[in-house]
Amino acid sequence: MALGDAYPMSSGHADAIFYHPALLSRASGFGLDVQRWSAEASSVAASAAVDWFGGTVGIGLRSTQIGSSLAGLGAFTTQDPLFVASSVPVSERIATVGYSRDFYFDLDLGVTVDLVDQRVGSQIHGVTLFDIGVSRTVGPLVAGFTVHDLGEKPIIDAGNGAARYSLGVGQYGRPLGQLDVGLAAQIGLDHTDEFTWGGGVEVGYWPVQGRTFVARLGVQSVPDGSEASPLTAGFAFWGDDLTLEWAVRPFGGADDGGTHRFGIRFR
């Protein structure tokens, strides 16, 4: 989120299961994220990855709750369709299982299965969606391409085709003297043929080996009519196998000036 919604492709974290499933082959450990838009809108995501059967298996759990008074929050964010689905309370719960492994030509292939439960007022929608992706190291960068949400969608009218295509590139924590420098960038195409883009840079300083303090700054596309800022920012602490993260994206009319996300990860 701090990097303009572009995923740091070589981070090796289990939350890759939500962005590019092919990156699971590089992932391990456990992660937990909490994001808050206001007192009535928040989400939680947990993920884990472990080596299995010649590749890597990952699991993920996501939950989003939105109060009825925040149905218009879609005017400030890009978190459609839940934020604009209705004037009644909305919730979504997703259980994800993914698998990735290295195949020929140094390509990593990955797939995830999402079991989705969406509730809009008294309506309940249960569907199964699929993500399929591929990734590869290209020079100093890692690149990944993913097809998201194949299958029947419960709210948006997108048929059984993909809800979104995304291409990401980046590098995580390249040493430069006493600094660690990373970058990430992404472009996407959704089911309405609308392009999205974003990217960012991070600079880490390590006064002691294994203790790194990281500053992040990003920029991303803003849909027409949105009060969301194109700028994102955040900080992180890397301590051996522990990572602590915070990110913010300002938007008008929000409690605390914007949406905030906090994360903790173990490797």
Side-chain angles (χ1 to χ4, degrees):
M1 178 175 156
L3 297 171
D5 203 35
Y7 190 74
M9 303 295 286
S10 59
S11 66
H13 291 313
D15 63 346
I17 193 173
F18 304 132
Y19 298 89
H20 293 284
L23 298 179
L24 278 176
S25 61
R26 309 167 184 262
S28 63
F30 169 82
L32 177 67
D33 295 281
V34 178
Q35 186 167 350
R36 182 180 186 274
W37 290 272
S38 75
E40 292 191 56
S42 62
S43 65
V44 178
S47 56
V50 64
D51 293 343
W52 182 72
F53 201 61
T56 303
V57 64
I59 58 173
L61 297 172
R62 287 171 284 177
S63 176
T64 299
Q65 302 283 339
I66 305 168
S68 59
S69 64
L70 296 176
L73 201 62
F76 311 121
T77 75
T78 58
Q79 300 285 338
D80 294 329
L82 290 182
F83 284 101
V84 293
S86 174
S87 60
V88 297
V90 177
S91 68
E92 179 180 68
R93 295 172 180 85
I94 305 175
T96 303
V97 178
Y99 182 75
S100 176
R101 65 176 297 166
D102 181 26
F103 279 83
Y104 298 106
F105 309 110
D106 295 324
L107 289 175
D108 294 329
L109 302 180
V111 60
T112 61
V113 180
D114 293 333
L115 303 178
V116 182
D117 177 275
Q118 286 186 348
R119 305 191 178 205
V120 181
S122 60
Q123 301 180 46
I124 300 176
H125 308 275
V127 299
T128 301
L129 301 174
F130 301 88
D131 290 359
I132 300 174
V134 60
S135 70
R136 190 180 191 277
T137 299
V138 182
L141 302 175
V142 176
F145 177 78
T146 299
V147 179
H148 297 273
D149 294 341
L150 290 164
E152 183 181 359
K153 269 64 73 176
I155 295 179
I156 60 174
D157 184 14
N160 292 322
R164 185 170 181 266
Y165 304 89
S166 64
L167 172 66
V169 296
Q171 183 53 266
Y172 196 69
R174 299 284 291 186
L176 183 64
Q178 266 196 300
L179 300 178
D180 283 320
V181 179
L183 60 88
Q186 64 88 18
I187 57 173
L189 177 68
D190 67 18
H191 68 284
T192 64
D193 294 330
E194 180 177 349
F195 278 98
T196 60
W197 56 267
V201 296
E202 63 180 15
V203 178
Y205 172 68
W206 43 283
V208 179
Q209 185 72 32
R211 304 290 186 272
T212 304
F213 299 88
V214 184
R216 293 170 172 156
L217 184 65
V219 61
Q220 67 184 94
S221 57
V222 178
D224 293 339
S226 173
E227 295 186 30
S229 170
L231 298 178
T232 61
F235 294 94
F237 170 74
W238 303 338
D240 295 327
D241 293 331
L242 171 68
T243 297
L244 301 174
E245 298 176 311
W246 165 75
V248 61
R249 185 181 187 189
F251 61 86
D255 298 348
D256 304 322
T259 177
H260 297 259
R261 187 168 184 169
F262 303 87
I264 182 170
R265 319 200 187 284
F266 298 95
R267 291 284 299 277

